Structures are given as structure tokens and as C-alpha cells.
Amino acid sequence: MRFLFIVFFVVVSLLALLLPFTVTFEPAETEYSETTGLPPVPKIGVYDALPDFSQFTDVNEKKLEFFSYLLPLIEAENLRILHSRSKLLEIEENFKANMLNDADRRQLAQLMDYYEVDPSLSNEQVFAVLKRRVDVVPEMMVLMQAANESAWGTSRFARRGLNLFGQWCYREGCGIVPNQRPEGQVYEVAKFDSVNQSVRSYMRNINTHPPYMDLRLLRERKRARDEELRAIELVEGLGSYSERGDEYIEELQSMIRVNRPLVMEVKQQMAAQLGDKPQTAN
């Protein structure tokens, strides 16, 4: 049975390699259990254009508009990830009880594909890696990196490519060539069809790419201790995101401290519109 599963996964992976390259990564369509206790993932419209954030002369007004624009996308994507994580834990329990069904196997294969898990690992290792990867990225971390990398939504890459996080791609024509790209380099700054795709791709990068293993390990340890996942602590694992290393981390932490009250203001406004109680900005 395990041999057939590996063959199936390899075939799916080969087919994926033969498809045209794209910087857009769509998650697996997962059948979610109705017993998770999680709210449904809200239907977010396609954000295919950025507001002109450069029009705001008041700094706080610009920040509030930026957070108001981006926060619903981040919350929806994190909720989608939580649904995937809940389903993963359910599948793991079924595996331990020797009760895996075809739907479980199909959804597990989809998660392994999306989160780039080596199919040659043992079943126990597969679940361990997936639990480390299928998890939320604190919204304050997403917001501050987006603000930092896109100059609050005004950079050339943000305006022309809807790329808020400085993500790269490596096929000619896949993005925008940086003006200061060193000679001999082939990377481009990726272009996206929507800001939704930019946010989703960024979160997938954080959750799969080897340079961010430190962040995932920090998050895993906090999960094991049932501690809150706080951005100001988890950004310690982003040393590889920028050539500035520790300086970059300290800058993000400073931005989190300064901007948390503004993000809470936006969250309170959003909650008031929905009639909900606002949650703490993490």
C-alpha cells in the first residue's frame, strides 16, 4: 500500500513539473470537517489592483489604509491554513487508529504536494513535517514585512507586480528585472495577478522554504508548549529573509511595536462592522 502511495505521489509531481511555470501556487482543495469548531473561510474578492497609497500625506492615515486593505486577506488565508491543519490532525488520528480512507489519502497527498514534503519519508516523518509547515503566520509579521518590503505599497514591484514581499522568480519574463541586479544573475521580482496570490505565495514560502526552518521550529516549540504565536518573537527566525540579517529583524520588531495600536484600531473597526469582538493583534 505504501509503495502504491509513493508511485501515485511521484506521478502527480512529474505532471506538475510538466505544466507551464507560474509563480502562483494554488492550495489543494481540501474537504474540511464540519466538527473543527472553526468559522468558515470568508469569500474574499480578487484584489487585482493596489490603492494609490502615495496620495496620503498623513503617515498614520496611510498606515491605517494599508492595514485595512491587507488585513482581511491575511486573516482569510490564515483561517484557510487552520482548516488544513485541523484536517491534517484528523487524518493523523485516523492513521494511528488504522482507519485511513481514500479521501484521507487523497487529501494527505495534496498537502504533501503543496507543502513540498518528501514522499520517501516514513509516515511518521511525513506527519511531523506537515505539522511543522501547515500552520499560521502571525498577521503582524505579514503586515510589517509587506510594509517593509513594499514601502507601504508604493514600490515599483508592488505597483506593477502586486508583489508586496519582494518574492523572486527564476524564469525569464516571470517578473520585473531589478535595476540593481548584479551581472550574471537571472532572478526577477515575481509578478502576480492579484494581491491574494502574493499573500498566499508568501505564506507558502515561509512555511516550506529551507531558509525559514528556524522560524518554523520556533513556532513548533510554541505549539508544543501551548503558547501564543506572537510575531515579535517569531521574526527571530527570519534572519535569511534579508541580507541585513539581525538589523532586518530588529527593524521588523520595532515596526511591530510602533504599529500594533494602529492594527488594533483597524481590527476594532472590522469587528464593529461584523458585530464581533476584536481579537488581539498578534
Side-chain angles (χ1 to χ4, degrees):
M1 182 64 69
R2 175 172 172 76
F3 173 77
L4 292 175
F5 175 78
I6 293 175
V7 170
F8 167 78
F9 186 84
V10 169
V11 170
V12 170
S13 300
L14 287 174
L15 287 174
L17 289 174
L18 294 175
L19 294 174
F21 176 84
T22 174
V23 296
T24 302
F25 300 99
E26 295 299 331
E29 292 295 332
T30 306
E31 300 173 12
Y32 298 123
S33 169
E34 296 180 356
T35 62
T36 62
L38 295 169
V41 179
K43 293 186 181 299
I44 301 293
V46 177
Y47 287 34
D48 57 4
L50 280 176
D52 180 11
F53 293 112
S54 64
Q55 68 178 303
F56 298 101
T57 56
D58 182 87
V59 173
N60 279 352
E61 185 179 2
K62 176 191 288 189
K63 290 181 176 182
L64 287 170
E65 288 295 323
F66 184 83
F67 297 147
S68 298
Y69 174 82
L70 201 53
L71 194 56
L73 288 175
I74 298 170
E75 290 185 340
E77 184 62 14
N78 268 332
L79 186 54
R80 185 192 65 79
I81 292 172
L82 281 177
H83 276 280
S84 293
R85 181 177 178 83
S86 178
K87 185 61 188 178
L88 169 65
L89 298 177
E90 180 183 318
I91 294 172
E92 183 182 32
E93 289 303 311
N94 290 345
F95 166 74
K96 291 177 179 178
N98 198 28
M99 294 174 56
L100 281 184
N101 55 39
D102 289 341
D104 289 336
R105 294 186 181 92
R106 181 175 65 252
Q107 291 166 21
L108 183 61
Q110 290 172 340
L111 287 170
M112 290 174 65
D113 182 34
Y114 185 71
Y115 286 96
E116 302 180 4
V117 178
D118 184 351
S120 68
L121 296 175
S122 69
N123 291 322
E124 290 77 9
Q125 289 172 324
V126 165
F127 284 114
V129 172
L130 279 173
K131 285 189 293 185
R132 187 178 302 132
R133 295 185 179 187
V134 187
D135 209 342
V136 297
V137 182
E139 60 196 24
M140 286 296 296
M141 176 175 141
V142 186
L143 287 170
M144 293 311 110
Q145 281 205 274
N148 188 291
E149 297 289 340
S150 73
W152 296 93
T154 64
S155 72
R156 178 168 68 106
F157 304 125
R159 290 182 287 105
R160 290 183 51 194
L162 302 181
N163 187 337
L164 298 178
F165 303 95
Q167 299 172 88
W168 290 0
C169 57
Y170 296 89
R171 180 176 60 83
E172 184 177 357
C174 65
I176 303 168
V177 178
N179 292 331
Q180 304 300 321
R181 187 177 70 178
E183 185 176 352
Q185 294 293 320
V186 298
Y187 70 86
E188 299 180 13
V189 178
K191 292 179 67 175
F192 294 95
D193 293 330
S194 68
V195 181
N196 313 55
Q197 292 176 354
S198 179
V199 170
R200 180 164 292 175
S201 179
Y202 157 82
M203 288 195 179
R204 183 175 185 265
N205 289 343
I206 293 296
N207 280 331
T208 60
H209 285 202
Y212 314 126
M213 171 65 86
D214 287 346
L215 184 147
R216 296 193 293 272
L217 290 173
L218 281 170
R219 184 176 61 187
E220 183 179 46
R221 287 194 289 270
K222 287 189 170 296
R223 282 288 190 196
R225 296 193 292 262
D226 197 27
E227 295 178 356
E228 183 181 5
L229 303 180
R230 301 181 67 238
I232 201 163
E233 297 165 349
L234 291 188
V235 295
E236 293 282 353
L238 286 177
S240 298
Y241 203 96
S242 168
E243 294 179 351
R244 292 187 290 141
D246 289 343
E247 180 185 347
Y248 179 71
I249 291 172
E250 291 170 4
E251 184 174 346
L252 288 178
Q253 290 174 327
S254 176
M255 291 178 68
I256 290 170
R257 295 186 186 96
V258 170
N259 291 286
R260 189 184 300 278
L262 292 176
V263 176
M264 275 304 306
E265 182 177 336
V266 171
K267 290 175 73 69
Q268 288 168 354
Q269 292 172 354
M270 291 170 57
Q273 293 173 357
L274 298 173
D276 295 334
K277 180 180 179 181
Q279 296 180 341
T280 302
N282 61 2

